[in-house]
Amino acid sequence: MNIISLVNALPGAVAQGLIWGIMAIGVYITFRILDIADLTVDGSMCVGGAACIMMMLNGHSVWAALLVAVLAGALAGFVTGIFHTMMGIPPILAGILTQLALWSVNLKIMGKANQAINVDKYDLLVSLRYIKGVSITKNTIFLVAVGNILVILVLYWFFGTELGCALRATGCNGNMARAQGINTNFNKVLGLMISNALVALSSALLAQYQGFADINMGRGAIVIGLAAVIIGEAIFGRIFRNFGFKLLGIALGSVIYYFVLQIVIWLGVDTDLLKMFSAIVVAIFLAIPYWKSKYFAKPVKRGGNADA
């Protein structure tokens, strides 16, 4: 095993981690803030890339392509929200139904299972080629890091507004929120739209970075997003108390996940087992709070005097 090969691969791991960090922040919004396990992600992680690549292949600018990708992701979240709030379908099943429908939608958008885009012919915002030997303003790591910061700043501002606080209250205690006159159904739909818009933005950047959009690019995406959320909370949860810094911790959790993934690949582990490895990591980190409360919590002493 050559340590130089690992070092050379790390910048790419950072770039991918930051791109997936935006997606992980979207997952955090539904999983932690809304308390919804949204499986739409596996579909919207493809629809953003598909929309972005097809827009650029048809002559539109990268910024117009990113905007359409974000809107497509928001629309996917809207559909899931409508399934849940207006049709009474449980959120996890609503996400599965939307994800299933998006498979056909993505095939129709791309026309086939895979669409490639050449960095030499199109003015891409990020690319695997822009990792080394380019100016700082064109460097993928720098641009995606700035993108993460901008996303965090916008979300920090939004969740400090009255609407954002109402959305957080909806996820914290829906019954209490309704008692305060908050339209919880509207907030659930809005939260799902914001989450999937961020996932689609991440997908659009990932498609540019790797040079293609593929029908399978979103498969298992929810596991990667959850892994980033859980790792970020486990490592930075006690350090970052502020909401904005919590979002930063989630993005960094994604980078750490890809660091670990790169090390696992460098160690020669069969790449066919990487999905299973990711699932095991998420399962362990999700189980830690339960294990702590069940096996390591100190017994509560009952008060009162028995002789009284």
Side-chain angles (χ1 to χ4, degrees), residues 130-190:
Y130 299 159
I131 296 291
K132 301 175 183 177
V134 295
S135 63
I136 187 68
T137 55
K138 202 173 176 100
N139 185 278
T140 293
I141 296 176
F142 173 77
L143 290 176
V144 181
V146 170
N148 272 267
I149 292 170
L150 290 175
V151 166
I152 290 170
L153 288 175
V154 170
L155 289 176
Y156 182 76
W157 166 80
F158 171 74
F159 281 104
T161 64
E162 184 177 348
L163 179 58
C165 289
L167 199 153
R168 293 167 76 173
T170 298
C172 184
N173 190 323
N175 292 329
M176 182 63 73
R178 281 189 292 272
Q180 298 296 319
I182 295 173
N183 187 337
T184 55
N185 283 341
F186 171 81
N187 286 331
K188 287 178 181 179
V189 174
L190 178 62

